[in-house]
């Protein structure tokens, strides 16, 4: 049985559980149990503190884990990054008081910077030849400049509203982070096989989210142009309509290209365009 560690509370918990459900894995975690066994897949879930997950995976107590990339890099445990999951996106940034005149990273020289991420920050400072003092604290990092504890901070940023509220401005992005799937380097052959099955499901779910299924009616004299625009997974499905000179076209469009493709389809005379979400997509 494959053992996976996920966050028991916090910003990654809901998306982690949602992903497992979308992969068809049914869990019963009533009364906030610290572990749960899936009904229909050989997997056991441990609910842990985010900061503890890399250690559990490294020690082999958990075979795999879902954790923020920022935590993975900060703990510096020798475990594998298997898959970038695309949720829990944020950035680790340096912020200074709004009133401070800031010209570049060199202005951090000689400052005292408060952070929870001393390992990542020190690597950044060393790599940029910056001589600054790191003041390591946990929680409420953003208030450090306001109470005279530090000149600047290095902390996670999502919207930036917390920085604004505390009179700070973001000046340097050190790391762009998201939830990642990690694994112990010494998985058994059995658990490696289970992980491969899980990765197939995860990839099908994530790929589906990035694509849309479209159906449209197209004039036959434009089918060549439309087919070139809509390659789909291999090529679009084209079926003649009862009305002469027209065909039905079905294909898949990447979310990032969606509106540009729709505009071009309209210019080629496409009509009755229907867009549907894709639940799973196995390529």
């Amino acid at each position: 049985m494959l053992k996976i560690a996920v966050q028991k509370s916090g910003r990654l918990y809901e998306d982690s559980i949602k992903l497992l459900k979308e992969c068809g894995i049914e869990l019963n975690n009533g009364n906030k149990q610290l572990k749960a066994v899936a009904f229909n897949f050989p997997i056991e879930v441990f609910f842990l503190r985010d900061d503890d997950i890399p250690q559990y995976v490294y020690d082999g107590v958990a075979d795999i884990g879902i954790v923020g990339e920022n935590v993975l890099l900060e703990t510096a445990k020798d475990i594998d990054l298997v898959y970038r999951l695309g949720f829990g996106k944020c950035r680790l940034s340096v912020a200074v008081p709004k009133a401070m005149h800031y010209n570049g990273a060199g202005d951090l020289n000689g400052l005292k910077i408060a952070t929870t991420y001393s390992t990542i920050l020190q690597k950044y400072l060393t790599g940029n030849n910056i001589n600054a003092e790191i003041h390591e604290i946990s929680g409420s990092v953003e208030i450090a400049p306001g109470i005279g504890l530090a000149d600047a901070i290095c902390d996670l940023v999502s919207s930036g509203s917390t920085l604004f509220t505390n009179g700070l401005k973001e000046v340097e992005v050190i790391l762009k982070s998201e939830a990642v799937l990690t694994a112990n380097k010494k998985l058994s052959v059995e658990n490696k096989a289970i992980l491969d099955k899980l990765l197939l499901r995860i990839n099908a779910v994530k790929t589906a989210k990035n694509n849309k299924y479209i159906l449209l009616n197209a004039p036959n004299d434009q089918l060549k142009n439309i087919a070139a625009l809509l390659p789909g997974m291999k090529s679009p499905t084209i079926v003649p309509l009862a009305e002469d000179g027209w065909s039905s076209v079905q294909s898949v469009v990447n979310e990032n290209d969606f509106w540009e493709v729709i505009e071009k389809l309209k210019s080629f005379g496409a009509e009755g365009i229907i867009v549907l979400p894709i639940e799973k997509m196995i390529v």
Side-chain angles (χ1 to χ4, degrees):
M1 179 172 291
L2 189 71
K3 298 176 181 178
I4 178 173
V6 302
Q7 196 177 50
K8 67 178 180 180
S9 61
R11 65 189 185 89
L12 300 185
Y13 169 78
E14 290 187 4
D15 283 332
S16 297
I17 297 303
K18 179 181 177 184
L19 175 62
L20 293 176
K21 289 181 178 178
E22 289 174 334
C23 289
I25 297 173
E26 297 180 15
L27 296 171
N28 180 10
N29 188 35
N31 299 321
K32 293 292 182 179
Q33 301 173 61
L34 295 181
K35 66 177 182 177
V37 177
F39 298 127
N40 58 347
F41 194 81
I43 196 168
E44 183 176 17
V45 182
F46 295 160
F47 298 93
L48 307 171
R49 287 181 63 252
D50 195 38
D51 293 349
D52 293 336
I53 291 176
Q55 183 69 56
Y56 275 70
V57 174
Y58 176 75
D59 290 339
V61 177
D63 300 302
I64 61 175
I66 296 177
V67 68
E69 188 175 2
N70 55 297
V71 175
L72 176 63
L73 295 177
E74 180 62 25
T75 56
K77 297 300 178 184
D78 187 21
I79 56 179
D80 290 331
L81 193 163
V82 178
Y83 197 101
R84 296 183 181 277
L85 296 170
F87 60 80
K89 291 186 176 182
C90 61
R91 56 194 182 275
L92 184 64
S93 298
V94 174
V96 300
K98 291 179 184 176
M100 177 179 172
H101 186 64
Y102 188 84
N103 293 310
D107 288 349
L108 300 176
N109 274 300
L111 298 187
K112 181 185 288 187
I113 306 175
T115 188
T116 304
Y117 299 94
S118 58
T119 300
I120 299 175
L121 176 57
Q122 185 60 67
K123 184 176 181 180
Y124 169 80
L125 295 176
T126 301
N128 288 275
N129 298 313
I130 298 169
N131 184 20
E133 179 184 347
I134 296 177
H135 190 82
E136 188 170 0
I137 60 176
S138 60
S140 302
V141 174
E142 64 277 357
I143 69 170
I147 61 177
L149 187 63
D151 305 302
I153 70 166
C154 176
D155 201 15
L156 291 181
V157 179
S158 293
S159 66
S161 60
T162 301
L163 295 181
F164 181 82
T165 301
N166 287 276
L168 301 171
K169 60 182 179 182
E170 185 178 6
V171 293
E172 299 288 340
V173 177
I174 293 179
L175 170 72
K176 291 184 178 180
S177 178
E178 63 182 284
V180 295
L181 183 67
T182 62
N184 182 277
K185 288 182 173 293
K186 298 178 181 179
L187 287 182
S188 67
V189 174
E190 178 186 12
N191 281 338
K192 179 64 169 61
I194 298 172
L195 175 58
D196 287 343
K197 291 180 180 179
L198 177 62
L199 288 173
L200 174 65
R201 297 187 184 198
I202 291 176
N203 194 57
V205 170
K206 303 308 291 185
T207 303
K209 289 183 182 297
N210 294 329
N211 291 276
K212 300 292 185 184
Y213 189 79
I214 65 172
L215 301 90
L216 57 95
N217 296 328
N220 288 345
D221 59 0
Q222 291 291 342
L223 285 178
K224 185 175 181 180
N225 290 329
I226 290 175
L229 184 62
L230 297 174
M233 295 178 70
K234 286 191 178 294
S235 63
T237 300
I238 300 175
V239 180
L241 293 178
E243 182 177 345
D244 289 340
W246 285 81
S247 295
S248 172
V249 180
Q250 304 170 35
S251 190
V252 174
V253 176
N254 187 277
E255 181 73 38
N256 295 329
D257 305 324
F258 178 76
W259 287 111
E260 182 179 351
V261 169
I262 292 297
E263 291 169 2
K264 289 181 179 179
L265 287 173
K266 292 291 290 182
S267 72
F268 291 144
E271 297 179 356
I273 302 173
I274 298 174
V275 182
L276 300 171
I278 304 173
E279 184 177 331
K280 306 287 189 300
M281 185 171 172
I282 301 170
V283 295

